[in-house]
Amino acid sequence: MTDFLHPMPDAHALRQCSALALAHMGDSVYELMTRGWLISSGLVTSRNLHRETIRLVCAGAQAAGAHAIEPLLTGEEQAVFRHGRNAKPKSIPKSASPAEYAHATAVEALFGWLYLRGQYDRLNELFAVLLPAAQQWAAQP
């Protein structure tokens, strides 16, 4: 049986993924981690969960987190991060600057890559560093 929750593409298949494909996966991984953290933190109403999730998964919050984790990345992780940052999406949301969106895409590509490699402990390490920066950004008026 195939495990769709924990896909493990081989190294060749993973190298074939574009930065935007990795970001596509990483977007969901990042949001799932954020939702898990919010529920673990005691938010239980769907209204509060939704509002806080939206604040923490937006491009600005992810970009703030990107700056926090960037110095901690290994050489291989830096390459994936740069690849994601330099990706050329077809559109950028009005709520984000091009620089914010580029850094958010970099985080998502990195998270997608780590997830597809099964490096869940590393994802948790980076998320723990990224989260306070994202929260601080989200708390700004």
Side-chain angles (χ1 to χ4, degrees):
M1 181 171 129
T2 302
D3 182 357
F4 296 107
L5 190 56
H6 302 99
M8 291 288 184
D10 61 30
H12 176 71
L14 194 52
R15 279 192 304 275
Q16 297 302 309
C17 286
S18 70
L20 294 177
L22 293 174
H24 177 75
M25 177 59 79
D27 177 53
S28 62
V29 171
Y30 181 84
E31 185 164 342
L32 183 64
M33 293 178 82
T34 300
R35 288 173 180 234
W37 177 78
L38 287 169
I39 287 173
S40 297
S41 298
L43 285 181
V44 293
T45 65
S46 63
R47 181 177 184 197
N48 287 342
L49 286 169
H50 180 72
R51 186 180 68 240
E52 290 304 308
T53 299
I54 296 303
R55 287 172 16 116
L56 293 173
V57 301
C58 72
Q62 288 179 337
H67 296 297
I69 65 170
E70 203 168 356
L72 307 174
L73 302 180
T74 67
E76 201 173 15
E77 291 168 347
Q78 287 173 358
V80 173
F81 187 90
R82 270 192 312 274
H83 192 51
R85 189 184 60 216
N86 294 333
K88 301 294 182 220
K90 292 187 190 246
S91 63
I92 296 173
K94 291 178 185 177
S95 62
S97 72
E100 285 176 328
Y101 200 68
H103 279 87
T105 303
V107 167
E108 291 172 350
L110 177 62
F111 274 42
W113 182 76
L114 289 169
Y115 176 75
L116 291 170
R117 291 185 64 182
Q119 294 184 326
Y120 310 126
D121 289 341
R122 184 63 173 153
L123 274 168
N124 282 312
E125 284 175 30
L126 293 176
F127 187 75
V129 173
L130 182 151
L131 184 60
Q135 287 177 293
Q136 186 176 10
W137 183 92
Q140 294 175 2

